Amino acid sequence: EVQLVQSGGGLVQAGGSLRLSCAASGFTFDDYGITWFRQAPGKGREGISCIGSSPGILYYADSVKGRFTISSDAAKNTVYLQMNSLKPEDTAVYYCAAKDYSASYCYIEDFMFDLWGQGSQVTVSS
């Protein structure tokens, strides 16, 4: 079965760090771009970071730039989102999504994706 399996997340105090993982099951990430989204209570889904299928294609939303880092481990077929200096406004459910495409950019629009992880709750207390 083709799926994305997320792990990580949890409760952390402001200023703390968490790492989310997104592992591919039933396929490899070789030709896929991966995007991390988050959805805060009462808000829409926001694309916050992505890594393209070609080397060097990265994107960070202004809200997370300088604090979050996206990376991939081809051997483990896993993409990570390292989140540092967390703020209460980072509280949300975080999702990874994957799409098989080749471009000089990566997608951050949720309607472009049909393969999603199950979601991970991240709660940052003040």
Side-chain angles (χ1 to χ4, degrees):
E1 182 183 2
V2 173
Q3 60 180 342
L4 297 174
V5 180
Q6 293 182 223
S7 59
L11 173 64
V12 66
Q13 289 188 329
S17 298
L18 288 171
R19 188 178 77 163
L20 303 179
S21 300
C22 176
S25 177
F27 71 106
T28 62
F29 279 151
D30 289 352
D31 297 315
Y32 280 74
I34 311 299
T35 298
W36 285 98
F37 293 86
R38 69 184 181 186
Q39 188 165 19
K43 295 188 177 181
R45 196 171 289 176
E46 173 191 15
I48 57 170
S49 182
C50 57
I51 186 167
S53 57
S54 300
I57 298 174
L58 300 174
Y59 165 83
Y60 297 97
D62 288 344
S63 56
V64 305
K65 196 175 295 181
R67 301 187 298 122
F68 291 12
T69 303
I70 191 170
S71 63
S72 65
D73 185 332
K76 295 183 178 180
N77 216 20
T78 299
V79 170
Y80 303 96
L81 186 68
Q82 178 67 43
M83 305 182 293
N84 298 329
S85 302
L86 283 162
K87 305 175 181 180
E89 51 264 44
D90 294 318
T91 295
V93 179
Y94 285 70
Y95 300 90
C96 62
K99 182 176 178 65
D100 184 356
Y101 68 97
S102 179
S104 59
Y105 49 87
C106 51
Y107 293 120
I108 59 168
E109 298 83 6
D110 59 359
F111 63 83
M112 296 300 296
F113 295 87
D114 53 15
L115 184 59
W116 292 82
Q118 79 273 21
S120 299
Q121 177 69 47
V122 172
T123 303
V124 184
S125 63
S126 57

